Amino acid sequence: MWDALPDAARSIVKELIIHGPQSRTALAKTLHLSTGSLTRLTKPMVDAGLLIEGDVVHDPVNGRPTRPLDVAAANHPFLGLKLTADQVHAVITDLRAGVVAARDEPIADHSPEAVCRQARRLLDELSAGAGLSRIVAAGVAIGGDARSSAQVGRERLVDAPFLGWRQVALEPMMERALGVPCVVENDVAALAHQHHWFGAGRGLRDFALVTIGAGIGYALIVHDHLVAATEADLGMFGHLVVNPGGPMCPEGHRGCASAYLASESVENAAGQGLRRAVPYAEVMRLAADGDPVCLTVVREAAAALGRLIAHITTMSMVKTVVLAGEGVELARVGKDDLERALTANRRDVPGSVHVVAEADDFREWARGGAVVAIQSFVTGSD
């Protein structure tokens, strides 16, 4: 039944998923449909259990008694996976990406076939624990080129250097292992989709996402659509120069974003001053406690981040930037320096950009995997 739904019906489901229960009158107004057309489109979806009717309330538009429509979110579970160099993070969510069950565990065998088998085992164990007999679809968020690599027919071949994968047909392998449709997406793009529908970017037509961690990631949502980019394009972003006189990154670029913001760069800068190896989390903690070496490193990196955000917003003209990733604590510890540099590089206009620092949680990336599967299910496209 779902595969046969017209685009207008899918738009109704999308509106309800993102914005919650609504009366038929409000839905018709939002989607520019007549009430008759909306009733015709929603009735078969209610009959099939895709939509549900709530208790009787008074319609805020016309004051008449009505039963708001909503999606049957709990009846449509999805699997989301985030693969790192050594961990698999798995979540099962409902249709609104609410986490029902989750687990993180090491990747024991890095071969694609073994990772797919591990994914199936995780699905079985999480489903059993949550009392689920099936899922609708799965999504995999992976650091690599999952969208624009070479293709054979419709088969996308994935490059994931951190796993040692080159031209791997991951989608069909996962589908065979899991027994459900599967979508594979670049992890930063998947996280951007998650924030667009359910996170800090919900309700925004335009915003940027910057991720800080082992690398520097970037995604741009414009007019409700993700701007497509290759892995090579995104790799260039991390080496955008923010200070020509700054430190040098491992690739020989002086003063680029990675030289300031990558976890290894922050650790190395602090380690030189402290004369010992120091992990990223400790650098942040020491900086927050006022250690002069670590505080200097964090302040300089936060100022560089402020300049980077100023470049992004000036060129793209978005007004909201979401910060995420395992290194996002830098934005909180160095908040004042970030804001000063951002304002100074935005012609001293304070508050011209809204910066949102999100939680450091790999399960949010796994939710991103679930979200791209949800979007594929709702919109009927990858």
Side-chain angles (χ1 to χ4, degrees):
M1 182 269 185
W2 181 261
D3 291 339
L5 287 180
D7 289 343
R10 292 178 183 273
S11 296
I12 293 169
V13 177
K14 177 181 175 181
E15 176 69 18
L16 292 172
I17 286 174
I18 297 173
H19 298 292
Q22 297 178 51
S23 70
R24 288 171 172 80
T25 305
L27 270 173
K29 183 177 180 180
T30 298
L31 299 173
H32 306 290
L33 295 169
S34 69
T35 53
S37 294
L38 189 121
T39 299
R40 176 179 54 80
L41 289 165
T42 57
K43 186 179 186 305
M45 291 192 285
V46 172
D47 293 341
L50 292 171
L51 301 183
I52 55 176
E53 294 180 310
D55 295 333
V56 175
V57 298
H58 288 284
D59 193 319
V61 177
N62 56 31
R64 297 173 183 170
T66 185
R67 299 185 68 185
L69 289 172
D70 197 5
V71 291
N75 296 337
H76 297 83
F78 292 79
L79 175 69
L81 300 171
K82 157 66 174 170
L83 303 180
T84 71
D86 54 7
Q87 292 272 322
V88 54
H89 305 271
V91 296
I92 290 181
T93 77
D94 62 21
L95 192 52
R96 284 200 173 96
V99 175
V100 176
R103 184 174 300 175
D104 312 309
E105 64 180 35
I107 296 176
D109 183 335
H110 284 68
S111 69
E113 296 81 4
V115 171
C116 290
R117 289 194 297 271
Q118 185 173 6
R120 178 55 193 251
R121 178 177 56 77
L122 281 167
L123 170 60
D124 291 342
E125 293 174 359
L126 290 174
S127 296
L132 300 172
S133 59
R134 61 170 184 83
I135 63 168
V136 176
V140 182
I142 190 166
D145 197 336
R147 291 174 292 175
S148 58
S149 47
Q151 297 188 13
V152 178
R154 295 186 59 198
E155 189 173 280
R156 296 187 294 185
L157 303 180
V158 173
D159 291 339
F162 64 94
L163 284 168
W165 295 356
R166 171 71 177 165
Q167 299 289 276
V168 174
L170 188 61
E171 280 186 3
M173 290 176 64
M174 275 289 183
E175 288 182 346
R176 287 193 295 270
L178 299 174
V180 294
C182 182
V183 181
V184 178
E185 180 62 281
N186 171 271
D187 54 0
V188 177
L191 189 62
H193 285 303
Q194 190 262 107
H195 281 296
H196 188 206
W197 275 33
F198 304 108
R202 188 174 69 168
L204 299 177
R205 287 176 56 80
D206 311 287
F207 72 94
L209 170 73
V210 176
T211 61
I212 312 166
I216 312 303
Y218 174 55
L220 183 64
I221 300 286
V222 177
H223 300 319
D224 276 331
H225 293 282
L226 179 75
V227 176
T230 66
E231 189 71 9
D233 292 331
L234 297 177
M236 295 176 189
F237 173 79
H239 295 283
L240 180 67
V241 174
V242 292
N243 179 8
M248 189 174 293
C249 81
E251 294 188 21
H253 307 132
R254 186 169 294 282
C256 69
S258 292
Y260 279 105
L261 300 172
S263 302
E264 184 178 7
S265 298
V266 171
E267 292 170 347
N268 289 342
Q272 289 176 6
L274 296 174
R275 297 187 179 182
R276 65 177 177 87
V278 54
Y280 189 90
E282 186 179 356
V283 176
M284 296 300 115
R285 180 178 59 79
L286 290 173
D289 291 341
D291 176 84
V293 171
C294 293
L295 185 57
T296 297
V297 171
V298 168
R299 292 188 64 181
E300 290 180 352
L305 179 57
R307 290 191 291 273
L308 182 65
I309 293 171
H311 291 332
I312 292 169
T313 54
T314 299
M315 296 300 293
S316 68
M317 293 184 281
V318 300
K319 295 297 185 288
T320 299
V321 175
V322 179
L323 301 177
E326 66 268 32
V328 75
E329 184 65 14
L330 183 147
R332 284 187 274 267
V333 178
K335 182 175 183 291
D336 292 342
D337 292 276
L338 186 161
E339 290 181 349
R340 275 193 292 270
L342 173 57
T343 300
N345 285 269
R346 292 276 296 176
R347 300 187 68 184
D348 292 321
V349 179
S352 64
V353 175
H354 181 46
V355 179
V356 183
E358 287 294 296
D360 166 20
D361 187 350
F362 273 116
R363 287 182 180 176
E364 289 299 295
W365 299 77
R367 281 185 73 214
V371 168
V372 296
I374 291 169
Q375 290 179 330
S376 180
F377 173 72
V378 171
T379 66
S381 62
D382 291 345

